Each structure stands twice: as structure tokens, then as C-alpha cells.
Amino acid sequence: MTIRALVFDAYGTLYDVQSVLAKAEALCPGKGEVITQIWRLKQLEYTWLRSLLQEYEDFWLVTRAALDFALQAAEVEPNDAICGPLMENYLHLDPYPEASEALAALDGRKLAILSNGSPKMLQELVRNSGLDRWIHATISIDSVRAYKPHRACYALVGPVLEVPKQDVLFVSSNSFDVVGAKAFGFEAAWIRRSAVAGPATMFGMLRGRAEELGHAPDHTVSALTDLPRLL
Amino acid sequence: MTIRALVFDAYGTLYDVQSVLAKAEALCPGKGEVITQIWRLKQLEYTWLRSLLQEYEDFWLVTRAALDFALQAAEVEPNDAICGPLMENYLHLDPYPEASEALAALDGRKLAILSNGSPKMLQELVRNSGLDRWIHATISIDSVRAYKPHRACYALVGPVLEVPKQDVLFVSSNSFDVVGAKAFGFEAAWIRRSAVAGPATMFGMLRGRAEELGHAPDHTVSALTDLPRLL
């Protein structure tokens, strides 16, 4: 295999979406964990449902709608004082601690992001986190008005990076995204992070587990810094 | 409004998908609740993901794949002794207690089911439960090879029942399904059942809550027996 480009998912792969937990807990004491978990679950559900309904709205609006659901589920009334800071935080997500080191070690290959995020969200996120030092292209699915794992999303990569799909290693910690990348024809690495919430909660039991949808990843690793040895 | 036909969702609306709980608990002591909840969550996720991937498999196979995921999440090895009885139970789900009385009170109008279930699953389910006494047509989405809320599913109703969509009241307890029916153009009633698992668990907090996807239901009721007074 000749991997000429690595394409990364953003949310959950390079950036820790659970890093909003501290702010959620500060704003809604005792409920930060449940709000954060339900927020993420509904955010993904809404991307799939809006794609199926063919009623696309961008990821900022979907993320806000999912937050409204999560807050109400936790019996918190959504208002600007709570939603404002939590949404703002989405533009300043922490990269995983090993992200910079991993990207630096991959320097010399084409590095890109392919994400559900809107162009504005991704632009701010990559700049605010400093990962723009290594990432050559940030590709939003916004132009195809359907979310991953729709194959039209993955098809955006080729024309931008000018590499055939068999030369692309797609990297995601989201197992449905690995399935989509494999179904499209990329080589795929699954970053299998240990459960965030731990197996003590039902949500924790959903994490770090391959989907039963066929299309197994070519590689399963535990951190981004394991990638260079795959090449 | 002149409602000439009522079209019901099956799983969760006429039939209680949580009625497998007792068997799951008997087979996997102490884990029945978590297995049942995760099974249903992943079953729906897989219908949406397979539709988006354009890799349709029928609802029997999707249900089995979701069960495999749920068992492994609960640290139970899937085998025939466990999966056989649980899958078999899906053909013998209990109707909600008020289903017969509600359908009897609607006699005289066209009554149908529109369900994700495969033709074989639905045929057995309706016959085993005795609801075939009132249901005139059982429509599976199988022929369009995409799951609800894809609009092609709802479009199956018109040709079978020979009624225009504005004369159809669609009935579902699944809020994403209400959204799909409304987006298609049906009048829609949401059966908002009280939370099954209670708000004590995160899964309980997801239930009985409208999706933040637009398309509010025309009617929200708490039981099937509330339907006749809407007509």
C-alpha cells in the first residue's frame, strides 16, 4: 500500500467533544455528564435523520437543536445564558493531547480533515486549536447537503487532494464513519479510544465498540500516535 | 378534515418492543434492561445508517445485528441459545393493552400498518397477535429498500389504500416517524407514552420527548384509545 494522504474526522477523532463537559457541569451542576452524552447522541441522530429526510440544515443548527433536546431531557430550560457558552465552546474544542505530536510525525504526506462541521465551524476550530499548522485542507460535507456516512461526503476528498481513493488512509474514532469510509473504498484506521464514561453507564457501554454493519477497519489503534507505524 | 384511513406504525406503537424484557432478563440475569434498551437504540440507528449507506438489509437482519451489538455491550457472548429465543420473541410481541379496543372503535375506516418490519415479520406478528381482525393492509418498507423516515416509505400508502395523503392520519409513538409522516404530508398523531424506563436512566430521559427536527405533530395523545375522539 502507498498511502499518500491521511484524512481525519474532526469531532471525536482530532477533537474531544467531551471536553465541553466541564462547562456543562459548571452551568448545570450535577447534570453535566448526562447533558454532554445526550447532546452528542442526538447530534449524530439528527445528522442521519435530516439526511434521510432530505431536509439538510448545517451542523451548527443541528448541534444547537440537539443541545435543546439534551437540556430539556435533563429538565433544564434552554436559554441564551446556557446555550451561548456551550455552543461557543464547540468552536474551541480541545484537540486530543497526542494530536499535535501525531500530525507532526506525519508531515510530508497530505493531511486533511473531512468533517460534518460547517465551513465556519471548522475554520474557527482548526485555527483556534493551532492544528492548521499541519492540516493542508479542511473539507466540510456542507456542499453535498448530506452527512456522513453518505458516500457523497467521502467523494469530496479526491478532487481536493488529487489522490485516488486507494491511496487515502481515512482515520476516525467514530465507528459508523469507519464503515462509511470503507464502503466508499478508502483504507481506514479506527481510533478505538477507551470508554469515556466507563462501562458503568449505558452510554459508556455504547462506546469503543465496532458497529455490526460489515466493513471492518483495516487497522484498529488506540491513539493517533500509532498511525505512523501503519504507513 | 375528513380522515378516511388511519395508518399505524407497528413497533413501539401497536406492539410493545420492551415486552422482550422478561425473556432477556431470564436469559441474562441482571442485564435484561440494558440489553433491551441498547438493542432498540442500535436497531433504529442501523436502519438509518444502512439507508444512508445505501446498503439495505431487511429488518430481521438489522434486528439481529443490533442484538449482537447489545449483547456484546453487556458483555454477553451472542450464541444461538440466547439469540434464538430473543429473535423469536420479536414475532410474538405483545400489542399494547388498549390496541384491540382502540382498533375496534375505529372500525369502518381503512386501517393499515406501515412498518420497517420485513413482510415475513409483519405477517407473523399481525397474525400471532390477532390484530389481523381489524388491520386491512400491512405495508412493509422492504420494497423501497430504505427505512423510515425516508419519504419513499410513506409514499407506499397511497397506492395501497387508494386515499390521498391529506385524508390519512398517521399514528406513531416514535417521534422521528411522526416527523417523517408530517414531512411527507400526512396528518399525524403522536402517541406519547410515559417513559418506559423512567427518568432515572439516561435511556429513560430520551423517551417521550419530541424531536427537535421541526414538523410538530397535529395531535399528541397518551394512548391509542384517544384516537376516535380526534376524528
Side-chain angles (χ1 to χ4, degrees):
Chain A
M1 97 202 202
T2 321
I3 295 302
R4 295 171 56 206
L6 286 91
V7 178
F8 297 84
D9 171 52
Y11 304 109
T13 300
L14 291 178
Y15 296 95
D16 185 358
V17 287
Q18 298 300 319
S19 63
V20 297
L21 175 59
K23 189 156 279 182
E25 181 63 24
L27 290 162
C28 309
K31 295 177 172 178
E33 173 75 20
V34 70
I35 289 168
T36 309
Q37 297 282 355
I38 294 179
W39 189 7
R40 176 64 173 163
L41 183 86
K42 299 306 286 191
Q43 181 191 46
L44 289 176
E45 282 191 9
Y46 287 177
T47 63
W48 303 329
L49 288 167
R50 282 204 170 274
S51 300
L52 263 188
L53 287 162
Q54 295 177 279
E55 296 197 346
Y56 179 81
E57 283 197 341
D58 80 20
F59 199 60
W60 183 258
L61 296 173
V62 164
T63 299
R64 174 57 201 261
L67 177 58
D68 285 349
F69 184 100
L71 290 172
Q72 291 171 61
E75 299 183 336
V76 173
E77 188 56 36
N79 61 44
D80 288 349
I82 291 174
C83 296
L86 287 174
M87 289 296 295
E88 175 68 21
N89 215 343
Y90 237 86
L91 306 175
H92 299 268
L93 292 173
D94 298 333
Y96 283 97
E98 84 277 17
S100 293
E101 180 191 339
L103 294 177
L106 295 165
D107 207 15
R109 288 189 168 80
K110 292 183 178 182
L111 304 181
I113 284 174
L114 175 69
S115 168
N116 278 342
S118 70
K120 182 172 175 298
M121 289 173 80
L122 292 175
Q123 188 183 9
E124 294 205 32
L125 184 65
V126 173
R127 191 183 54 211
N128 290 336
S129 64
L131 294 194
D132 55 352
R133 181 170 163 192
W134 294 285
I135 298 291
H136 308 124
T138 302
I139 306 167
S140 166
I141 61 76
D142 189 65
S143 62
V144 299
R145 299 179 65 81
Y147 288 100
K148 296 192 274 186
H150 194 293
R151 66 181 288 117
C153 300
Y154 305 97
L156 289 168
V157 168
V160 173
L161 296 190
E162 297 178 323
V163 286
K165 57 187 176 183
Q166 60 270 25
D167 293 355
V168 171
L169 178 64
F170 188 84
V171 181
S172 183
S173 65
N174 293 298
S175 47
F176 75 89
D177 194 15
V178 170
V179 170
K182 283 294 294 175
F184 177 71
F186 288 148
E187 185 159 327
W190 180 33
I191 310 289
R192 185 183 192 171
R193 300 187 189 282
S194 50
V196 176
T201 70
M202 285 198 201
F203 281 87
M205 297 167 74
L206 299 173
R207 306 224 182 279
R209 190 166 297 284
E211 301 296 356
E212 297 285 337
L213 290 166
H215 301 295
D218 300 289
H219 314 280
T220 301
V221 297
S222 59
L224 295 165
T225 36
D226 295 325
L227 294 172
R229 69 170 168 79
L230 302 180
L231 305 177
Chain B
M1 97 199 201
T2 321
I3 295 300
R4 295 169 55 206
L6 286 90
V7 177
F8 297 84
D9 171 53
Y11 303 108
T13 300
L14 292 178
Y15 296 94
D16 186 359
V17 286
Q18 298 300 320
S19 63
V20 297
L21 175 59
K23 187 156 280 183
E25 181 63 25
L27 290 163
C28 309
K31 295 178 172 179
E33 173 75 21
V34 70
I35 289 169
T36 309
Q37 297 283 355
I38 294 179
W39 189 8
R40 175 64 173 163
L41 183 88
K42 298 307 286 191
Q43 181 192 46
L44 288 175
E45 282 190 9
Y46 288 176
T47 61
W48 304 328
L49 288 167
R50 283 206 169 271
S51 300
L52 263 187
L53 288 162
Q54 297 177 277
E55 296 197 344
Y56 180 81
E57 283 196 339
D58 81 20
F59 199 60
W60 183 259
L61 296 173
V62 164
T63 300
R64 174 56 201 260
L67 176 58
D68 285 348
F69 184 100
L71 289 171
Q72 291 170 63
E75 299 181 339
V76 173
E77 189 56 35
N79 61 44
D80 289 348
I82 291 175
C83 297
L86 288 173
M87 289 297 294
E88 174 68 21
N89 215 343
Y90 238 85
L91 306 176
H92 298 268
L93 293 173
D94 297 333
Y96 283 98
E98 83 278 16
S100 293
E101 180 191 339
L103 294 177
L106 295 165
D107 207 16
R109 288 188 168 80
K110 292 182 177 182
L111 304 180
I113 284 174
L114 174 69
S115 168
N116 278 341
S118 69
K120 181 172 176 298
M121 289 173 80
L122 292 175
Q123 187 183 11
E124 293 205 32
L125 184 65
V126 173
R127 191 183 54 211
N128 290 338
S129 64
L131 295 193
D132 55 351
R133 181 170 162 192
W134 292 285
I135 298 291
H136 308 123
T138 302
I139 307 167
S140 166
I141 60 75
D142 189 65
S143 61
V144 299
R145 299 180 65 81
Y147 287 101
K148 296 194 274 185
H150 195 293
R151 64 181 291 117
C153 300
Y154 305 98
L156 289 169
V157 169
V160 173
L161 297 189
E162 297 179 323
V163 287
K165 58 187 174 182
Q166 60 269 26
D167 293 354
V168 171
L169 178 63
F170 188 85
V171 181
S172 183
S173 64
N174 293 299
S175 48
F176 76 89
D177 193 17
V178 169
V179 169
K182 284 293 294 175
F184 176 72
F186 288 148
E187 186 160 327
W190 180 32
I191 311 289
R192 186 182 190 173
R193 302 187 188 281
S194 50
V196 176
T201 69
M202 284 198 202
F203 280 89
M205 297 168 75
L206 298 173
R207 307 225 181 280
R209 190 166 298 283
E211 300 297 354
E212 298 284 336
L213 291 167
H215 302 296
D218 299 289
H219 314 281
T220 301
V221 297
S222 58
L224 295 165
T225 37
D226 295 326
L227 293 173
R229 69 171 168 79
L230 302 180
L231 304 178

